[in-house]
Amino acid sequence: MPPERYGAVVERIRAWTPSTRSLFLRPDAGARMPFHAGQFISLALPVGESPPLVRPYSLASDPEDALLEICVDLVPAGIGSRYLFSLAVGATLDLKGPFGSFMVDAPPAAAMVFVADGTGIAPVRAMVRRVLAHGGEHRVQVLHGAPTEADLLFHDELAAFGSHPRFSWEPVLAGAGAATGENPKLEALVLDRYVRADADRTRHFWICAVGDLVRRLREALRAAGYERRAVRYEQW
Ligand SMILES: Cc1cc2nc3c(=O)[nH]c(=O)nc-3n(C[C@H](O)[C@H](O)[C@H](O)COP(=O)(O)OP(=O)(O)OC[C@H]3O[C@@H](n4cnc5c(N)ncnc54)[C@H](O)[C@@H]3O)c2cc1C
């Protein structure tokens, strides 16, 4: 699917917390952007001098949905995210997409572990919905990092998936005030459970978060013997 440009209107806004919100975008003229769950779009934001500021955002929505959902953090002193937070319903945006290879192209015949911190849950939510909808017998686990329970995006939906026999969702709370990308508990849990606890190296991983946590986990898992291609990641 080659990326294309679309105009879009902000049709709905959902505030998750004072500093995180979902924007639901409707592409112009009923256009539908084909994409794979887990991919991202880039927004061209009219901030400052031309050319526009380009910022990528992962899609949390299903490819079949009429609206594209992105979950945006308000980054301190971040000009792109501040601009997105200034938008009201009815605002227009220019986007291009889809991009990226962080996806579940064909679910592997192995346990799948998704590790997401903060808004890193956005592409994971889309992939997990896909994987569970398509059947299979292998376990699907989500480790979901956030400062507090109130910061867990898609909490109710992911908790409800818990009734699915092969799915588990586990919040890993770093504590109130923890900075984005700082979740030592999440890092320790991944290493304890998937490196130190057993010798099984057949699992497949998808890791998405802000900052160096992603690189550290990727390197640790690969060094522990997981295949390179079995450790997929997206670092913001
Ligand atoms: C493939 C990809 C997908 C992305 N998807 C999302 C998404 O779904 N939601 C989202 O909020 N951001 C996402 N980002 C980050 C986003 O593109 C911007 O970098 C972010 O909004 C900050 O832009 P800014 O202009 O406000 O701040 P800048 O002035 O560009 O500040 C960048 C700083 O903010 C940090 N940062 C980046 N993202 C975040 C974040 N989410 N929370 C806190 N700090 C951050 C960076 O590490 C960097 O230090 C994604 C990035 C990539 C590469």
Side-chain angles (χ1 to χ4, degrees):
M1 296 173 214
E4 287 191 26
R5 288 182 194 285
Y6 301 83
V9 175
V10 178
E11 186 155 313
R12 193 152 71 84
I13 296 174
R14 173 181 182 170
W16 293 96
T17 70
S19 59
T20 306
R21 59 179 56 170
S22 281
L23 303 184
F24 295 83
L25 313 178
R26 182 180 292 281
D28 285 346
R32 192 157 290 205
M33 184 184 77
F35 68 95
H36 293 291
Q39 288 191 294
F40 66 89
I41 55 174
S42 72
L43 296 180
L45 307 174
V47 180
E49 306 295 318
S50 53
L53 184 76
V54 175
R55 290 285 184 270
Y57 292 92
S58 294
L59 293 164
S61 42
D62 294 333
E64 296 75 21
D65 292 346
L67 304 183
L68 303 170
E69 179 179 2
I70 56 171
C71 306
V72 184
D73 281 321
L74 181 59
V75 175
I79 48 176
S81 58
R82 201 169 56 219
Y83 176 80
L84 290 172
F85 264 67
S86 76
L87 298 179
V89 167
T92 56
L93 282 166
D94 289 323
L95 65 90
K96 189 174 178 186
F99 295 100
S101 56
F102 186 64
M103 59 173 94
V104 182
D105 24 16
M112 305 170 69
V113 182
F114 294 88
V115 181
D117 194 47
T119 41
I121 197 69
V124 165
R125 182 248 190 165
M127 287 189 277
V128 164
R129 286 166 66 92
R130 203 93 202 137
V131 167
L132 294 181
H134 279 81
E137 60 190 40
H138 294 281
R139 286 192 71 192
V140 179
Q141 296 169 270
V142 176
L143 302 186
H144 187 177
T148 70
E149 194 168 314
D151 300 301
L152 289 166
L153 275 58
F154 304 108
H155 173 292
D156 294 350
E157 177 183 310
L158 291 163
F161 281 160
S163 58
H164 201 286
R166 63 191 182 103
F167 179 74
S168 69
W169 168 71
E170 210 171 325
V172 186
L173 304 178
T180 309
E182 302 268 322
N183 194 332
K185 284 188 196 163
L186 183 61
E187 192 166 357
L189 182 62
V190 171
L191 300 182
D192 283 346
R193 188 178 292 171
Y194 304 116
V195 172
R196 299 183 190 115
D198 64 26
D200 179 5
R201 296 296 182 259
T202 63
R203 302 175 183 99
H204 282 235
F205 294 85
W206 285 258
I207 305 166
C208 186
V210 173
D212 199 48
L213 170 70
V214 175
R215 185 197 58 78
R216 291 197 303 272
L217 285 177
R218 179 194 70 204
E219 295 308 316
L221 291 168
R222 288 176 173 172
Y226 289 100
E227 276 187 45
R228 273 189 84 72
R229 60 175 189 88
V231 184
R232 302 159 182 85
Y233 61 93
E234 192 137 88
Q235 180 170 342
W236 299 354

